Amino acid sequence: MIPLTEQSIRSSFVNASRKEVSDLTLPADFATIDWDAHDYLGWRDRKVPSRSYAIVELDGSPVGLLLRPTEARALARPQCSWCQDVNLSNDVVFYSAKRAGQAGRNGDTVGTLVCADFGCSVNVRKRPPMAYIGFDVEAAREERMAVLRERARSFALSVLHGVGA
């Protein structure tokens, strides 16, 4: 992921009011983030628990998304739509996001299931088990990282332009 500054994060939001952006709290570890180990940046606001954020790279620029976690708990354990890790040690939460522009002002939203702690980048970098003789473990990891970036981009596009964009 491209390295971000506080200013680039705050100016990247496409579905948040100026007040929501000015009130956001950066991740606690912001100063020490290893940008090469992230496919997107996601975090829960420590001061406002009803807000979470994801910054996704689209065409070399950051796109910030204000997300709202649901308070309802699933009856069965859901799978993260972004990393699709089947061996998750963490919870998965349904996040909704207002659409950008007039659609969001009209109340249109989109949603997705994502790891509650936004640990998808860690999950896809885990060494996969050897599937068969000659299985290329590194190629499999690289593919999982690329797929995660594409799923995050796809969600960002749905916030910007609607479902199926």
Side-chain angles (χ1 to χ4, degrees), residues 15 52 66-70 94-98 109-112 155:
N15 67 338
S52 295
L66 171 62
L67 307 171
R68 304 265 183 201
T70 186
F94 179 81
Y95 287 100
S96 64
K98 283 189 314 185
T109 61
V110 292
T112 189
F155 183 73

Side-chain angles (χ1 to χ4, degrees), residues 8 30 37 41 50 54-56 64 67 81 86 91 97 103 151:
S8 65
F30 183 70
L41 177 63
S50 63
I55 311 294
V56 178
L67 307 171
S81 298
V86 295
D91 289 331
R151 288 188 185 118

Side-chain angles (χ1 to χ4, degrees), residues 4-141:
L4 301 170
T5 64
E6 180 176 354
Q7 180 57 37
S8 65
I9 287 173
R10 290 187 189 277
S11 64
S12 72
F13 282 90
V14 297
N15 67 338
S17 69
R18 284 186 219 134
K19 173 81 169 122
E20 290 168 326
V21 171
S22 68
D23 289 347
L24 81 78
T25 304
L26 291 173
D29 63 346
F30 183 70
T32 60
I33 291 175
D34 178 4
W35 296 106
D36 292 331
H38 284 75
D39 300 289
Y40 71 94
L41 177 63
W43 74 99
R44 297 183 92 153
D45 197 311
R46 299 181 311 277
K47 294 182 180 175
V48 185
S50 63
R51 290 187 196 159
S52 295
Y53 312 98
I55 311 294
V56 178
E57 187 177 334
L58 283 178
D59 299 323
S61 298
V63 173
L65 308 171
L66 171 62
L67 307 171
R68 304 265 183 201
T70 186
E71 294 186 22
R73 292 290 167 212
L75 298 176
R77 185 173 177 89
Q79 182 179 24
C80 176
S81 298
W82 290 10
C83 69
Q84 295 191 336
D85 193 327
V86 295
N87 298 311
L88 286 177
S89 59
N90 58 296
D91 289 331
V92 172
V93 173
F94 179 81
Y95 287 100
S96 64
K98 283 189 314 185
R99 294 225 359 250
Q102 188 60 44
R105 289 188 288 280
N106 290 342
D108 291 356
T109 61
V110 292
T112 189
L113 290 165
V114 180
C115 293
D117 64 355
F118 296 97
C120 299
S121 292
V122 171
N123 296 337
V124 297
R125 283 170 172 71
K126 291 178 193 168
R127 186 177 173 85
M130 189 75 143
Y132 52 85
I133 295 173
F135 179 71
D136 189 341
V137 173
E138 284 308 309
R141 285 180 65 225

